Coordinates of all heavy atoms in Angstrom, one line a residue:
M1 N -5.0 23.4 47.2 CA -5.5 22.9 45.9 C -4.2 22.7 45.0 O -3.4 23.5 44.9 CB -6.3 24.0 45.2 CG -6.8 23.6 43.8 SD -7.9 24.9 43.2 CE -7.7 24.6 41.5
T2 N -4.2 21.5 44.4 CA -3.1 21.2 43.5 C -3.6 21.3 42.0 O -4.6 20.8 41.7 CB -2.6 19.7 43.7 OG1 -2.2 19.6 45.1 CG2 -1.5 19.4 42.8
M3 N -2.9 22.1 41.3 CA -3.3 22.3 39.9 C -3.1 21.0 39.1 O -2.0 20.3 39.3 CB -2.5 23.4 39.2 CG -2.8 24.8 39.8 SD -4.5 25.3 39.7 CE -4.6 25.6 37.9
P4 N -4.0 20.6 38.2 CA -3.8 19.4 37.4 C -2.6 19.4 36.5 O -2.0 18.4 36.3 CB -5.1 19.4 36.5 CG -6.0 20.3 37.2 CD -5.2 21.3 38.0
A5 N -2.1 20.6 36.0 CA -0.9 20.7 35.2 C -0.2 21.9 35.6 O -0.7 23.0 35.6 CB -1.3 20.7 33.7
P6 N 1.1 21.8 36.0 CA 1.8 22.9 36.6 C 2.1 24.0 35.5 O 2.2 25.2 35.9 CB 3.1 22.3 37.1 CG 3.2 21.0 36.4 CD 1.8 20.6 36.1
D7 N 2.3 23.7 34.2 CA 2.7 24.6 33.2 C 1.7 24.6 32.0 O 1.8 23.6 31.3 CB 4.1 24.4 32.8 CG 4.5 25.5 31.8 OD1 3.9 26.5 31.6 OD2 5.5 25.2 31.1
L8 N 0.8 25.5 31.9 CA -0.1 25.6 30.8 C 0.3 26.6 29.7 O -0.4 26.8 28.8 CB -1.5 25.9 31.3 CG -2.0 24.9 32.4 CD1 -3.4 25.4 32.9 CD2 -2.1 23.5 31.9
S9 N 1.5 27.2 29.9 CA 1.9 28.2 28.9 C 2.2 27.6 27.5 O 2.3 28.4 26.6 CB 3.2 28.9 29.5 OG 4.2 28.0 29.6
G10 N 2.3 26.3 27.4 CA 2.6 25.7 26.1 C 1.3 25.7 25.2 O 1.4 25.3 24.1
I11 N 0.1 26.0 25.8 CA -1.1 25.9 25.0 C -1.2 27.3 24.3 O -1.4 28.3 24.9 CB -2.3 25.7 25.9 CG1 -2.2 24.4 26.7 CG2 -3.6 25.8 25.1 CD1 -3.3 24.2 27.7
T12 N -1.1 27.2 23.0 CA -1.0 28.4 22.2 C -2.1 28.5 21.1 O -2.1 29.4 20.3 CB 0.4 28.6 21.5 OG1 0.6 27.5 20.7 CG2 1.4 28.7 22.6
S13 N -2.9 27.5 21.0 CA -3.9 27.5 19.9 C -5.2 26.9 20.4 O -5.3 26.2 21.5 CB -3.5 26.7 18.7 OG -3.5 25.3 19.0
R14 N -6.3 27.1 19.7 CA -7.6 26.5 20.0 C -7.6 25.0 20.1 O -8.1 24.4 20.9 CB -8.6 27.1 19.0 CG -10.0 26.5 19.1 CD -10.9 27.2 18.1 NE -10.5 27.0 16.7 CZ -10.8 26.0 15.9 NH1 -11.6 25.1 16.3 NH2 -10.4 26.0 14.6
Q15 N -6.9 24.4 19.1 CA -6.8 23.0 19.0 C -6.0 22.4 20.2 O -6.4 21.4 20.7 CB -6.1 22.6 17.7 CG -6.9 22.9 16.5 CD -6.7 24.3 16.0 OE1 -5.9 25.1 16.5 NE2 -7.4 24.7 14.9
E16 N -5.0 23.1 20.6 CA -4.2 22.6 21.8 C -5.0 22.8 23.1 O -4.9 21.9 23.9 CB -2.9 23.4 21.9 CG -1.9 23.1 20.9 CD -0.7 24.0 20.9 OE1 -0.6 25.0 21.6 OE2 0.3 23.7 20.1
L17 N -5.8 23.8 23.2 CA -6.7 23.9 24.3 C -7.7 22.8 24.4 O -7.9 22.1 25.4 CB -7.5 25.3 24.3 CG -8.5 25.4 25.4 CD1 -7.9 25.3 26.8 CD2 -9.3 26.7 25.2
A18 N -8.3 22.5 23.2 CA -9.3 21.4 23.2 C -8.6 20.1 23.5 O -9.2 19.3 24.3 CB -9.9 21.3 21.8
A19 N -7.5 19.8 23.0 CA -6.7 18.6 23.3 C -6.4 18.5 24.8 O -6.5 17.5 25.5 CB -5.5 18.5 22.5
Y20 N -6.0 19.6 25.4 CA -5.7 19.7 26.8 C -6.9 19.3 27.6 O -6.8 18.5 28.6 CB -5.1 21.0 27.2 CG -5.1 21.2 28.7 CD1 -4.1 20.5 29.5 CD2 -6.1 21.9 29.4 CE1 -4.1 20.6 30.9 CE2 -6.1 22.0 30.8 CZ -5.1 21.3 31.5 OH -5.1 21.4 32.9
L21 N -8.0 19.9 27.3 CA -9.3 19.7 28.1 C -9.7 18.2 28.0 O -10.1 17.6 29.0 CB -10.4 20.6 27.6 CG -10.2 22.1 27.9 CD1 -11.3 22.9 27.2 CD2 -10.2 22.4 29.4
L22 N -9.5 17.6 26.8 CA -9.9 16.2 26.7 C -8.9 15.3 27.5 O -9.4 14.4 28.1 CB -9.9 15.8 25.2 CG -11.0 16.3 24.4 CD1 -10.9 16.0 22.9 CD2 -12.4 15.8 24.9
R23 N -7.6 15.7 27.5 CA -6.7 14.9 28.3 C -7.0 15.1 29.8 O -6.9 14.2 30.6 CB -5.2 15.4 28.0 CG -4.7 14.8 26.8 CD -3.2 15.1 26.6 NE -2.7 16.4 26.9 CZ -2.7 17.4 26.0 NH1 -3.0 17.2 24.7 NH2 -2.3 18.6 26.3
L24 N -7.4 16.3 30.2 CA -7.7 16.6 31.6 C -8.9 15.7 32.0 O -8.9 15.1 33.1 CB -8.1 18.1 31.8 CG -8.5 18.5 33.2 CD1 -7.3 18.3 34.1 CD2 -8.9 20.0 33.1
A25 N -9.9 15.7 31.1 CA -11.1 14.8 31.4 C -10.7 13.4 31.5 O -11.2 12.6 32.4 CB -12.2 15.0 30.3
Q26 N -9.8 12.9 30.7 CA -9.4 11.5 30.7 C -8.7 11.2 32.0 O -8.9 10.2 32.6 CB -8.5 11.3 29.5 CG -8.0 9.8 29.4 CD -7.1 9.6 28.2 OE1 -6.3 10.5 27.8 NE2 -7.3 8.5 27.6
R27 N -7.8 12.1 32.4 CA -7.1 11.9 33.7 C -8.1 11.8 34.9 O -7.9 11.1 35.8 CB -6.1 13.1 33.9 CG -4.9 13.0 32.9 CD -3.9 14.1 33.1 NE -3.4 14.1 34.5 CZ -2.9 15.1 35.1 NH1 -2.9 16.3 34.6 NH2 -2.4 15.0 36.3
V28 N -9.1 12.6 34.8 CA -10.2 12.6 35.9 C -10.8 11.2 35.8 O -11.0 10.6 36.9 CB -11.2 13.7 35.7 CG1 -12.4 13.5 36.7 CG2 -10.5 15.1 36.0
E29 N -11.2 10.8 34.6 CA -11.9 9.5 34.5 C -11.0 8.3 35.0 O -11.6 7.3 35.5 CB -12.3 9.3 33.0 CG -13.5 10.2 32.6 CD -13.8 10.1 31.2 OE1 -12.9 9.9 30.3 OE2 -15.0 10.2 30.9
Q30 N -9.7 8.5 34.8 CA -8.8 7.4 35.2 C -8.4 7.5 36.6 O -7.7 6.6 37.1 CB -7.6 7.4 34.3 CG -7.9 7.1 32.8 CD -6.7 7.3 31.9 OE1 -5.7 7.9 32.3 NE2 -6.8 6.8 30.7
G31 N -8.9 8.5 37.3 CA -8.7 8.6 38.8 C -7.4 9.3 39.1 O -7.0 9.3 40.3
E32 N -6.7 9.9 38.1 CA -5.4 10.6 38.4 C -5.7 11.9 39.1 O -4.8 12.4 39.8 CB -4.7 10.8 37.1 CG -4.1 9.6 36.4 CD -3.4 9.9 35.1 OE1 -2.7 11.0 35.0 OE2 -3.6 9.2 34.2
I33 N -6.8 12.5 38.8 CA -7.2 13.7 39.5 C -8.5 13.5 40.2 O -9.5 13.0 39.6 CB -7.4 14.9 38.4 CG1 -6.1 15.1 37.6 CG2 -7.9 16.1 39.0 CD1 -6.3 16.0 36.5
R34 N -8.5 13.9 41.5 CA -9.7 13.7 42.3 C -10.6 14.9 42.1 O -10.2 16.0 41.9 CB -9.3 13.6 43.8 CG -10.4 13.2 44.6 CD -9.9 13.0 46.1 NE -11.0 13.5 46.9 CZ -11.1 14.6 47.6 NH1 -10.1 15.4 47.5 NH2 -12.1 15.0 48.3
Q35 N -11.9 14.6 42.0 CA -12.9 15.7 41.8 C -14.0 15.5 42.8 O -14.3 14.4 43.3 CB -13.5 15.6 40.4 CG -14.2 14.3 40.1 CD -14.7 14.3 38.7 OE1 -14.6 15.3 38.0 NE2 -15.4 13.2 38.3
E36 N -14.7 16.6 43.2 CA -15.8 16.6 44.1 C -17.1 16.3 43.4 O -17.9 15.6 43.9 CB -15.9 17.9 44.8 CG -14.7 18.3 45.7 CD -14.5 17.3 46.8 OE1 -15.5 16.9 47.4 OE2 -13.4 17.0 47.2
N37 N -17.3 16.8 42.2 CA -18.5 16.6 41.4 C -18.2 15.7 40.3 O -17.5 16.0 39.4 CB -19.0 18.0 40.9 CG -20.3 17.9 40.2 OD1 -20.7 16.9 39.7 ND2 -20.9 19.1 40.0
E38 N -18.9 14.5 40.3 CA -18.6 13.5 39.3 C -19.1 13.9 37.9 O -18.6 13.4 36.9 CB -19.3 12.2 39.7 CG -18.7 11.6 40.9 CD -19.3 10.2 41.2 OE1 -20.0 9.6 40.4 OE2 -19.1 9.8 42.4
Q39 N -20.0 14.9 37.8 CA -20.4 15.4 36.4 C -19.4 16.4 35.8 O -19.6 16.8 34.7 CB -21.8 15.9 36.5 CG -22.9 14.9 36.6 CD -23.4 14.8 38.0 OE1 -23.2 15.7 38.8 NE2 -24.2 13.8 38.3
S40 N -18.5 16.9 36.6 CA -17.6 17.9 36.1 C -16.8 17.4 34.9 O -16.6 18.2 34.0 CB -16.5 18.2 37.2 OG -17.1 18.8 38.3
V41 N -16.5 16.2 34.8 CA -15.8 15.7 33.7 C -16.6 15.8 32.4 O -16.0 16.1 31.3 CB -15.3 14.2 33.9 CG1 -16.4 13.2 33.9 CG2 -14.2 13.8 32.9
D42 N -17.9 15.7 32.5 CA -18.7 15.8 31.3 C -18.7 17.3 30.8 O -18.7 17.6 29.6 CB -20.2 15.4 31.6 CG -20.3 13.9 31.8 OD1 -19.5 13.1 31.3 OD2 -21.2 13.5 32.6
Y43 N -18.7 18.2 31.8 CA -18.7 19.6 31.4 C -17.3 20.0 30.8 O -17.3 20.7 29.8 CB -18.9 20.5 32.7 CG -19.0 21.9 32.4 CD1 -20.1 22.5 31.8 CD2 -17.9 22.8 32.8 CE1 -20.1 23.9 31.6 CE2 -17.9 24.1 32.5 CZ -19.1 24.7 31.9 OH -19.1 26.0 31.7
V44 N -16.2 19.5 31.3 CA -14.9 19.7 30.7 C -14.9 19.2 29.3 O -14.4 19.8 28.4 CB -13.8 19.1 31.6 CG1 -12.4 19.2 30.9 CG2 -13.8 19.9 32.9
K45 N -15.4 17.9 29.1 CA -15.4 17.4 27.7 C -16.2 18.2 26.8 O -15.9 18.5 25.6 CB -16.0 16.0 27.8 CG -15.1 14.9 28.3 CD -15.8 13.6 28.1 CE -15.3 12.5 28.9 NZ -16.1 11.3 28.8
A46 N -17.4 18.7 27.3 CA -18.2 19.5 26.4 C -17.5 20.8 26.0 O -17.6 21.2 24.9 CB -19.5 19.9 27.2
A47 N -16.8 21.4 26.9 CA -16.0 22.6 26.6 C -15.0 22.3 25.6 O -14.7 23.1 24.6 CB -15.4 23.2 27.9
A48 N -14.3 21.1 25.7 CA -13.3 20.7 24.7 C -13.9 20.5 23.3 O -13.4 21.0 22.3 CB -12.6 19.4 25.2
Y49 N -15.1 19.8 23.3 CA -15.7 19.5 22.0 C -16.2 20.8 21.3 O -16.0 21.0 20.1 CB -16.9 18.6 22.2 CG -16.5 17.2 22.6 CD1 -17.2 16.5 23.6 CD2 -15.3 16.6 22.1 CE1 -16.9 15.2 24.0 CE2 -15.0 15.3 22.5 CZ -15.8 14.7 23.5 OH -15.4 13.4 23.9
W50 N -16.7 21.8 22.1 CA -17.2 23.0 21.5 C -16.0 23.8 21.0 O -16.0 24.4 19.9 CB -18.0 23.8 22.4 CG -18.7 24.9 21.7 CD1 -19.9 24.9 21.0 CD2 -18.2 26.3 21.5 NE1 -20.2 26.1 20.4 CE2 -19.2 27.0 20.7 CE3 -17.1 27.0 22.0 CZ2 -19.0 28.3 20.3 CZ3 -17.0 28.3 21.6 CH2 -17.9 28.9 20.8
T51 N -14.9 23.9 21.8 CA -13.7 24.6 21.4 C -13.1 24.0 20.1 O -12.8 24.8 19.2 CB -12.6 24.5 22.6 OG1 -13.2 25.1 23.7 CG2 -11.4 25.2 22.2
R52 N -13.1 22.7 20.0 CA -12.6 22.1 18.8 C -13.4 22.4 17.6 O -12.9 22.5 16.5 CB -12.5 20.6 19.1 CG -11.8 19.8 18.0 CD -11.5 18.4 18.4 NE -12.8 17.6 18.7 CZ -12.8 16.4 19.1 NH1 -11.7 15.8 19.4 NH2 -13.9 15.8 19.3
S53 N -14.7 22.5 17.8 CA -15.6 22.7 16.6 C -16.2 24.1 16.5 O -17.1 24.4 15.7 CB -16.7 21.7 16.6 OG -17.6 21.9 17.7
M54 N -15.7 25.1 17.3 CA -16.2 26.4 17.3 C -16.1 27.1 15.9 O -16.9 28.1 15.7 CB -15.6 27.3 18.4 CG -14.2 27.8 18.1 SD -13.7 29.1 19.2 CE -13.3 28.2 20.7
H55 N -15.2 26.7 15.1 CA -15.2 27.3 13.7 C -16.5 27.2 13.0 O -16.9 28.1 12.3 CB -14.0 26.6 12.9 CG -14.3 25.2 12.7 ND1 -14.0 24.2 13.6 CD2 -14.8 24.5 11.6 CE1 -14.3 23.0 13.1 NE2 -14.8 23.2 11.9
G56 N -17.3 26.1 13.2 CA -18.6 26.0 12.6 C -19.5 27.0 13.1 O -20.3 27.6 12.3
F57 N -19.5 27.3 14.4 CA -20.3 28.3 15.0 C -20.1 29.7 14.3 O -21.0 30.4 13.9 CB -20.1 28.4 16.5 CG -20.8 29.6 17.2 CD1 -22.1 29.5 17.5 CD2 -20.1 30.8 17.4 CE1 -22.8 30.6 18.1 CE2 -20.7 31.9 18.0 CZ -22.1 31.8 18.3
F58 N -18.8 30.0 14.3 CA -18.4 31.3 13.7 C -18.7 31.4 12.2 O -19.2 32.4 11.7 CB -17.0 31.7 14.0 CG -16.7 32.1 15.4 CD1 -16.2 31.2 16.4 CD2 -17.1 33.4 15.9 CE1 -16.1 31.6 17.7 CE2 -16.9 33.8 17.2 CZ -16.4 32.9 18.1
A59 N -18.5 30.3 11.5 CA -18.8 30.3 10.1 C -20.3 30.5 9.8 O -20.7 31.3 8.9 CB -18.4 29.0 9.5
N60 N -21.2 29.9 10.7 CA -22.6 30.1 10.6 C -23.0 31.5 10.9 O -24.1 32.0 10.4 CB -23.3 29.2 11.5 CG -23.3 27.7 11.0 OD1 -23.1 27.4 9.9 ND2 -23.5 26.8 12.0
Q61 N -22.2 32.2 11.6 CA -22.4 33.7 11.9 C -21.8 34.6 10.9 O -22.0 35.8 11.0 CB -21.8 34.0 13.3 CG -22.3 33.2 14.5 CD -23.8 33.5 14.8 OE1 -24.2 34.6 14.8 NE2 -24.6 32.4 15.0
G62 N -21.1 34.0 9.9 CA -20.5 34.8 8.9 C -19.2 35.5 9.4 O -18.8 36.5 8.9
K63 N -18.6 34.9 10.4 CA -17.4 35.6 11.1 C -16.2 34.6 11.0 O -16.4 33.4 10.8 CB -17.7 35.9 12.5 CG -18.9 36.9 12.7 CD -19.1 37.1 14.2 CE -20.3 38.1 14.4 NZ -20.6 38.2 15.8
E64 N -15.1 35.2 11.1 CA -13.8 34.4 11.2 C -13.7 33.9 12.6 O -14.1 34.5 13.6 CB -12.6 35.3 10.9 CG -12.6 35.9 9.5 CD -12.2 34.8 8.5 OE1 -11.3 33.9 8.9 OE2 -12.7 34.8 7.4
T65 N -13.1 32.7 12.8 CA -12.8 32.1 14.1 C -11.7 32.9 14.7 O -10.6 33.0 14.0 CB -12.5 30.6 14.0 OG1 -13.6 30.0 13.3 CG2 -12.3 30.0 15.3
P66 N -11.8 33.4 15.9 CA -10.7 34.1 16.5 C -9.5 33.2 16.7 O -9.6 32.1 17.1 CB -11.2 34.5 17.9 CG -12.7 34.4 17.7 CD -13.0 33.4 16.7
E67 N -8.3 33.8 16.4 CA -7.1 33.0 16.6 C -6.6 33.2 18.0 O -6.0 32.3 18.6 CB -6.0 33.5 15.6 CG -6.2 33.1 14.2 CD -6.2 31.6 14.0 OE1 -5.3 30.9 14.6 OE2 -7.1 31.0 13.3
Q68 N -6.8 34.3 18.6 CA -6.4 34.6 20.0 C -7.7 34.9 20.8 O -8.5 35.8 20.5 CB -5.5 35.8 20.1 CG -4.2 35.6 19.3 CD -3.4 34.5 20.0 OE1 -3.3 34.3 21.2 NE2 -2.8 33.6 19.2
P69 N -7.9 34.1 21.9 CA -9.1 34.3 22.7 C -9.0 35.6 23.5 O -8.0 36.0 23.9 CB -9.2 33.1 23.5 CG -7.7 32.7 23.7 CD -7.1 33.0 22.3
D70 N -10.2 36.1 23.7 CA -10.3 37.2 24.7 C -11.3 36.7 25.8 O -11.7 35.5 25.8 CB -10.8 38.5 24.1 CG -12.2 38.3 23.4 OD1 -12.9 37.3 23.6 OD2 -12.5 39.2 22.6
W71 N -11.5 37.5 26.8 CA -12.4 37.0 27.9 C -13.8 36.7 27.4 O -14.4 35.8 27.9 CB -12.4 38.1 29.0 CG -11.1 38.2 29.7 CD1 -10.2 39.3 29.6 CD2 -10.4 37.3 30.5 NE1 -9.1 39.1 30.4 CE2 -9.2 37.8 30.9 CE3 -10.8 36.0 31.0 CZ2 -8.3 37.1 31.8 CZ3 -9.9 35.3 31.8 CH2 -8.7 35.9 32.2
A72 N -14.3 37.4 26.4 CA -15.6 37.1 25.9 C -15.7 35.7 25.3 O -16.7 35.0 25.5 CB -16.1 38.2 24.9
L73 N -14.6 35.4 24.6 CA -14.6 34.0 23.9 C -14.5 32.9 25.0 O -15.2 31.9 24.9 CB -13.4 33.9 23.0 CG -13.3 32.6 22.2 CD1 -14.6 32.3 21.4 CD2 -12.1 32.6 21.3
I74 N -13.7 33.2 26.0 CA -13.6 32.2 27.1 C -15.0 32.0 27.8 O -15.4 30.9 28.0 CB -12.6 32.6 28.1 CG1 -11.2 32.5 27.5 CG2 -12.6 31.7 29.4 CD1 -10.1 33.2 28.2
A75 N -15.7 33.1 28.0 CA -17.1 33.0 28.5 C -18.0 32.3 27.6 O -18.8 31.5 28.0 CB -17.6 34.4 28.8
M76 N -17.8 32.5 26.3 CA -18.6 31.7 25.3 C -18.4 30.2 25.4 O -19.3 29.4 25.2 CB -18.3 32.3 23.9 CG -19.2 31.7 22.8 SD -18.8 32.4 21.2 CE -19.2 34.1 21.4
I77 N -17.1 29.8 25.5 CA -16.8 28.4 25.6 C -17.5 27.8 26.8 O -18.1 26.7 26.7 CB -15.2 28.2 25.8 CG1 -14.6 28.6 24.4 CG2 -14.9 26.8 26.2 CD1 -13.0 28.7 24.5
F78 N -17.4 28.5 28.0 CA -18.1 27.9 29.2 C -19.6 27.9 29.0 O -20.3 26.9 29.4 CB -17.7 28.7 30.4 CG -16.3 28.4 31.0 CD1 -15.3 29.3 30.8 CD2 -16.1 27.2 31.6 CE1 -14.1 29.0 31.3 CE2 -14.8 26.9 32.1 CZ -13.8 27.8 31.9
S79 N -20.2 28.9 28.4 CA -21.6 28.9 28.1 C -22.0 27.8 27.2 O -23.0 27.1 27.4 CB -22.0 30.3 27.6 OG -21.8 31.3 28.5
A80 N -21.3 27.6 26.1 CA -21.6 26.6 25.1 C -21.4 25.2 25.7 O -22.2 24.3 25.3 CB -20.6 26.7 23.9
A81 N -20.5 25.0 26.7 CA -20.4 23.7 27.3 C -21.7 23.2 28.0 O -21.9 22.1 28.0 CB -19.2 23.7 28.3
F82 N -22.4 24.2 28.5 CA -23.7 23.8 29.2 C -24.7 23.2 28.1 O -25.4 22.3 28.4 CB -24.4 25.0 29.9 CG -23.8 25.3 31.2 CD1 -23.1 26.5 31.4 CD2 -23.9 24.4 32.2 CE1 -22.6 26.7 32.7 CE2 -23.4 24.6 33.5 CZ -22.7 25.8 33.7
V83 N -24.6 23.7 26.9 CA -25.5 23.2 25.8 C -25.0 21.9 25.3 O -25.7 21.0 25.1 CB -25.6 24.3 24.7 CG1 -26.4 23.7 23.5 CG2 -26.2 25.6 25.2
Y84 N -23.7 21.8 25.1 CA -23.0 20.5 24.6 C -23.1 19.4 25.7 O -23.2 18.3 25.3 CB -21.6 20.8 24.3 CG -21.3 21.0 22.8 CD1 -22.0 22.0 22.2 CD2 -20.4 20.3 22.1 CE1 -21.8 22.3 20.8 CE2 -20.1 20.6 20.8 CZ -20.8 21.6 20.2 OH -20.6 21.8 18.9
E85 N -23.1 19.7 26.9 CA -23.2 18.7 28.0 C -24.5 18.1 28.0 O -24.9 17.1 28.1 CB -22.9 19.4 29.4 CG -22.8 18.3 30.5 CD -22.7 19.0 31.8 OE1 -23.1 20.1 32.0 OE2 -22.1 18.3 32.7

């Protein structure tokens, strides 16, 4: 398996993660990255869109948007992507 991007350590914010996911989806759509499941790109885009706008979710809950993700937030991003997709 070849990783789509060799160094992801430069991603340090929610906005950078969302931008990375959108670029990843674009690379798949342009054929730069081969995929087995053609719908995967929609799921990645959905994760990006939710990540980009998650501040609204947390505001509606009366909570601050986390600056640093934990495993629970990562799970939330993947779960929300199913709804956004």
Side-chain angles (χ1 to χ4, degrees):
M1 175 177 160
T2 303
M3 294 299 289
D7 182 17
L8 302 177
S9 63
I11 298 173
T12 60
S13 71
R14 174 174 59 88
Q15 293 83 3
E16 289 173 352
L17 173 60
Y20 167 76
L21 291 173
L22 288 174
R23 282 191 311 273
L24 180 64
Q26 183 180 37
R27 290 178 62 204
V28 169
E29 289 176 325
Q30 293 173 346
E32 292 177 39
I33 300 172
R34 194 176 141 256
Q35 64 180 357
E36 296 295 324
N37 181 343
E38 292 185 18
Q39 286 105 8
S40 296
V41 70
D42 295 331
Y43 183 74
V44 171
K45 282 186 202 177
Y49 294 140
W50 192 85
T51 299
R52 191 169 59 185
S53 64
M54 75 168 76
H55 61 279
F57 171 82
F58 285 101
N60 288 337
Q61 302 292 316
K63 299 178 181 177
E64 294 287 322
T65 304
E67 287 299 316
Q68 296 297 319
D70 57 14
W71 292 111
L73 181 58
I74 293 168
M76 188 180 294
I77 291 168
F78 283 107
S79 296
F82 280 116
V83 176
Y84 262 53
E85 184 184 25

